[in-house]
Amino acid sequence: MSDSTILEVKDLQHIYMEKTPLEHQALSGVSLSVEEGESIAIIGNTGSGKSTLIQHFNGLMRPQRGEVTVEGQYLSDPKLDVKALRRKVGLVFQNPEDQIFEKLIGDDIAYGPLKMGLPLKEVRDRVKWAMELVGLSFEELKDRVTYALSGGQKRKVALAGVLALKPKILVLDEPTAGLDPRSRQELLDQIVRLNEKENMTVIFVSHNMEEVAYLAKRIYVLADGRNLIDGTPGDIFGNSEVLSKHHIGAPQTVEILAQLKARGYPVNLKAYEIETAAKEMVSVLQSFRR
Amino acid sequence: MSQPFIQVEGISFEYTINNHKTVPVLENVSFDVHPGEYVTIIGHNGSGKSTLSKHFNGILKPLSGNIYVDGLNTREANLQREIRQKVGMVFQHPDNQIVATIVEDDVAFGLENIGVPSSEMKARIDFALDAVGMSEFRKRPPHHLSGGQKQRVAIAGILAMKPDCLVLDEATSMLDTYGRRDILDVVRRLNNDGMTIVSVTHHMSEVAEASRVIVIEKGQIVLDGAPREIFQQYELLHQLQLDVPLASQLARLVHEYDNEFQADLIHNEEIIQEVMRLSAKRGVYVG
Ligand SMILES: Nc1ncnc2c1ncn2[C@@H]1O[C@H](COP(=O)(O)OP(=O)(O)O)[C@@H](O)[C@H]1O
Ligand SMILES: Nc1ncnc2c1ncn2[C@@H]1O[C@H](COP(=O)(O)OP(=O)(O)O)[C@@H](O)[C@H]1O
Ligand SMILES: [Mg+2]
Ligand SMILES: [Mg+2]
């Protein structure tokens, strides 16, 4: 482990409802290592263990076997200060409804900072900061009731509640599912900003491969609770046979290029970005020009 | 043209919150859905899509204006049950829709509610589970299924009621690529067999497959037409915080560099065909 490793997982296993007829092994030895300031995607098909894995990162689940360390601190330690850990590692759930408790939007986002014992002025500033960051107008929405929000708005509220804690590590489970295209892009841009400008470490689970391609510098692929492969987006998406074999989608650009390749066109599957994919196609077509 | 299956006539709707404040959502919305159509509805979060959808089977009643389902006014309390049987709804979170602890009981639940005689139930459950490809899971507990499988069970619960129209409110948005494809295959098959489909979605590639797309903004219809036409209005969609399918973006980009390449494509398959067409035309052997 290098000095700048901020989170490390070693041979983590997890069995749900152990020793019952419904026993299910969700993680069978997963390892990964994240450097401070990185942006990491975890992908894999439904049921591969992604949500189970990341719920370990802020102590919501404790390691049954194997280890998770955050800044060198063992999360299996019975004396772990969970409150301090949750300030450091902010986790946004897959279903935002699991995360919204207060009647008013502003109160819901203020909940964490208040619990931290911050002065009221600071709490208010943070709520405003977090709301604007996710694209919710502070003035217009802070006194709105949370139950009257659309699904996409609820997701933004849940995210703002976590951002208001200003965590060092931001962990997101399917952050943009259910968001419209613009909100999705804005949110992704905000996450990039937090990652690059504020040096927040970002770890996210997603099945939207366009988003993975846009946000991740490195990708871990899980299958059946185990590591399958990891690498840069180019490495992973260039390996589209492995992805489809494990029922993991690839970016649509890669799917199109793969179909062209299967028909004998010399295209590079690593060109997953839309501009580079277009250029691949153009150069193929131009090569036919005499 | 056929008699419309759903007629939306100048409806407006607002929510009342905190007993006095109102949130206006729909404003004078009118359109028809014809039998067998596959209509998608797009619009940014909060534009009113779910509110509109809930009017199609009378969960919500318009403040003004009227909605007719197969000629029946959704305002009439005594037609409620008949209307719910004609129009089935599937929502975003399968977890919130599944009530029983065994898959086939879950499908049966809705049937009991509408008073289907038990002699008829088995056949209906068989049909519905088969239609969504979940027959082999009938004895399984639903909470051990994947999201896509749960959503298929939720759809089976609706199909068992034999609706004429299926309304999907972002029913695939929580699913992965494969889960979504499964659901869309089921929906396409139902539509081919004549079922009317209304689907609210953020996935422009799904919109590209439909026969029609309605774009709503601040509770009003701003565009209504065939997907290929609508997706040419790139700038306007962008202003409305929406997008076009990846295939369209790619086609436009390639067209910029090579203007013989058609710009108005909307399906991945069309992109492949266009590359093949042009390379064949330019006469070079590929292999
Ligand atoms: N609370 C639970 N009880 C029993 N099994 C569970 C529970 N949560 C998840 N599982 C099972 O563990 C496996 C991994 O689930 P999960 O981590 O949610 O996967 P993913 O997020 O990759 O879809 C799945 O087979 C799932 O059914
Ligand atoms: N039960 C409710 N009470 C009050 N306001 C609501 C309720 N449901 C939705 N709204 C508001 O109505 C508007 C439209 O919401 P909705 O129809 O859910 O939009 P969409 O489905 O397009 O995201 C939003 O501003 C939302 O906050
Ligand atoms: Mg998950
Ligand atoms: Mg909605």
Side-chain angles (χ1 to χ4, degrees):
Chain A
M1 163 169 139
S2 77
D3 275 355
S4 54
T5 301
I6 192 164
L7 183 143
E8 186 159 51
V9 177
K10 273 193 189 149
D11 199 27
L12 184 67
Q13 305 193 24
H14 185 84
I15 301 175
Y16 282 108
M17 298 189 281
E18 199 166 3
K19 301 197 177 78
T20 74
L22 296 176
E23 177 171 303
H24 182 86
Q25 180 139 15
L27 298 177
S28 311
V30 172
S31 300
L32 59 85
S33 166
V34 180
E35 307 264 300
E36 180 159 13
E38 269 199 299
S39 176
I40 301 281
I42 299 172
I43 67 175
N45 83 359
T46 315
S48 58
K50 305 178 299 292
S51 295
T52 306
L53 171 64
I54 64 169
Q55 286 176 61
H56 283 82
F57 297 170
N58 75 340
L60 212 60
M61 287 180 150
R62 297 299 189 89
Q64 291 173 343
R65 288 176 203 90
E67 261 315 332
V68 181
T69 49
V70 172
E71 292 191 315
Q73 188 177 34
Y74 286 87
L75 302 196
S76 51
D77 182 351
K79 295 197 295 279
L80 175 77
D81 182 350
V82 178
K83 262 169 97 180
L85 177 68
R86 301 244 163 107
R87 244 171 272 154
K88 204 181 289 176
V89 184
L91 173 66
V92 185
F93 295 132
Q94 194 160 355
N95 183 357
E97 315 214 346
D98 293 345
Q99 208 156 12
I100 296 176
F101 303 104
E102 296 289 326
K103 194 162 163 252
L104 300 182
I105 294 177
D107 292 351
D108 194 80
I109 298 167
Y111 181 85
L114 278 175
K115 278 276 166 189
M116 280 168 73
L118 294 175
L120 278 179
K121 165 87 173 58
E122 166 85 18
V123 171
R124 192 183 155 87
D125 287 348
R126 283 198 182 197
V127 170
K128 188 159 190 277
W129 172 80
M131 285 183 73
E132 305 289 339
L133 208 56
V134 299
L136 294 171
S137 154
F138 177 73
E139 294 306 335
E140 197 182 317
L141 291 170
K142 69 178 184 341
D143 297 322
R144 277 265 207 115
V145 285
T146 46
Y147 71 81
L149 292 173
S150 73
Q153 291 170 319
K154 281 185 184 158
R155 182 169 291 280
K156 292 183 180 179
V157 171
L159 177 62
V162 167
L163 288 176
L165 295 167
K166 300 205 171 169
K168 281 181 91 161
I169 307 178
L170 181 62
V171 184
L172 306 148
D173 201 348
E174 310 277 7
T176 67
L179 291 186
D180 62 61
R182 164 92 66 95
S183 306
R184 215 182 85 201
Q185 191 56 47
E186 283 173 358
L187 191 61
L188 292 177
D189 289 340
Q190 295 298 3
I191 295 171
V192 168
R193 233 204 63 205
L194 288 168
N195 177 239
E196 290 178 354
K197 299 264 155 44
E198 319 245 342
N199 201 33
M200 211 180 260
T201 305
V202 174
I203 305 173
F204 69 104
V205 168
S206 177
H207 54 240
N208 181 322
M209 295 303 144
E210 278 68 36
E211 169 176 319
V212 169
Y214 186 76
L215 207 54
K217 296 288 179 303
R218 219 147 55 77
I219 301 173
Y220 282 93
V221 185
L222 298 192
D224 289 329
R226 289 190 168 82
N227 294 73
L228 188 64
I229 40 175
D230 59 81
T232 64
D235 296 338
I236 303 294
F237 296 136
N239 209 339
S240 65
E241 308 92 77
V242 175
L243 295 184
S244 67
K245 187 167 156 243
H246 287 87
H247 275 210
I248 301 164
Q252 283 191 57
T253 44
V254 175
E255 290 187 350
I256 292 171
L257 292 173
Q259 286 190 46
L260 288 172
K261 192 167 182 184
R263 287 181 160 84
Y265 294 94
V267 290
N268 182 356
L269 298 187
K270 290 192 174 189
Y272 61 87
E273 285 167 314
I274 181 157
E275 291 80 12
T276 52
K279 287 195 181 122
E280 281 293 304
M281 291 170 51
V282 170
S283 76
V284 163
L285 288 171
Q286 300 296 330
S287 73
F288 292 144
R289 278 234 160 105
R290 280 173 265 188
Chain B
M1 207 160 188
S2 56
Q3 151 89 11
F5 184 71
I6 299 176
Q7 284 169 277
V8 180
E9 290 187 353
I11 65 164
S12 299
F13 184 84
E14 61 192 33
Y15 292 102
T16 305
I17 51 175
N18 306 340
N19 296 325
H20 55 278
K21 260 177 78 182
T22 56
V23 183
V25 178
L26 301 177
E27 212 187 305
N28 195 19
V29 175
S30 299
F31 63 96
D32 291 341
V33 177
H34 288 268
E37 269 195 291
Y38 187 159
V39 181
T40 49
I41 300 179
I42 62 176
H44 62 74
N45 297 128
S47 57
K49 305 178 297 298
S50 293
T51 304
L52 177 61
S53 305
K54 286 177 187 153
H55 279 80
F56 296 152
N57 72 347
I59 297 177
L60 294 176
K61 310 281 188 299
L63 202 66
S64 59
N66 288 295
I67 298 210
Y68 299 91
V69 171
D70 207 7
L72 309 177
N73 192 328
T74 62
R75 287 178 183 284
E76 297 194 22
N78 60 340
L79 298 176
Q80 214 45 244
R81 194 188 249 196
E82 204 176 331
I83 287 170
R84 298 253 167 117
Q85 269 170 258
K86 288 179 186 288
V87 180
M89 285 206 57
V90 180
F91 299 96
Q92 192 174 66
H93 292 286
D95 292 333
N96 301 349
Q97 300 169 73
I98 289 178
V99 289
T101 53
I102 300 286
V103 165
E104 63 179 5
D105 291 355
D106 196 77
V107 179
F109 180 80
L111 296 181
E112 282 161 15
N113 267 350
I114 60 168
V116 171
S118 48
S119 56
E120 207 182 302
M121 268 207 219
K122 185 174 177 307
R124 288 218 193 182
I125 295 170
D126 289 349
F127 154 78
L129 286 174
D130 187 48
V132 300
M134 288 295 287
S135 299
E136 55 181 311
F137 293 87
R138 61 187 303 152
K139 300 284 181 199
R140 296 282 259 314
H143 57 276
H144 282 208
L145 301 175
S146 74
Q149 291 169 331
K150 283 185 210 167
Q151 197 58 287
R152 282 194 270 167
V153 173
I155 293 177
I158 300 296
L159 291 184
M161 303 207 239
K162 302 201 171 159
D164 301 303
C165 174
L166 183 63
V167 178
L168 303 148
D169 188 359
E170 295 192 38
T172 66
S173 71
M174 304 309 284
L175 307 180
D176 63 15
T177 317
Y178 283 80
R180 178 161 56 247
R181 275 181 204 163
D182 282 353
I183 299 293
L184 293 181
D185 286 345
V186 169
V187 169
R188 206 175 306 119
R189 201 149 29 78
L190 292 167
N191 182 243
N192 288 338
D193 293 344
M195 190 177 282
T196 309
I197 308 288
V198 180
S199 176
V200 174
T201 182
H202 290 309
H203 291 276
M204 299 306 152
S205 50
E206 179 188 348
V207 175
E209 297 204 8
S211 48
R212 178 175 162 201
V213 49
I214 293 175
V215 184
I216 83 168
E217 160 75 1
K218 296 206 179 85
Q220 290 180 299
I221 295 182
V222 289
L223 291 170
D224 181 348
R228 195 181 304 279
E229 283 160 34
I230 304 290
F231 285 139
Q232 302 319 309
Q233 318 213 27
Y234 194 81
E235 297 300 327
L236 179 56
L237 288 173
H238 198 70
Q239 279 168 28
L240 296 171
Q241 314 186 11
L242 297 168
D243 214 343
V244 298
L246 179 113
S248 302
Q249 297 174 34
L250 197 56
R252 288 167 55 95
L253 270 176
V254 177
H255 174 81
E256 273 176 30
Y257 295 111
D258 187 333
N259 59 23
E260 249 190 293
F261 195 95
Q262 250 179 278
D264 67 346
L265 310 179
I266 60 175
H267 298 287
N268 290 3
E269 186 52 33
E270 291 176 340
I271 301 266
I272 314 285
Q273 294 303 327
E274 182 66 357
V275 170
M276 290 169 67
R277 181 186 73 85
L278 273 185
S279 55
K281 180 175 165 209
R282 290 173 186 178
V284 170
Y285 172 78
V286 179

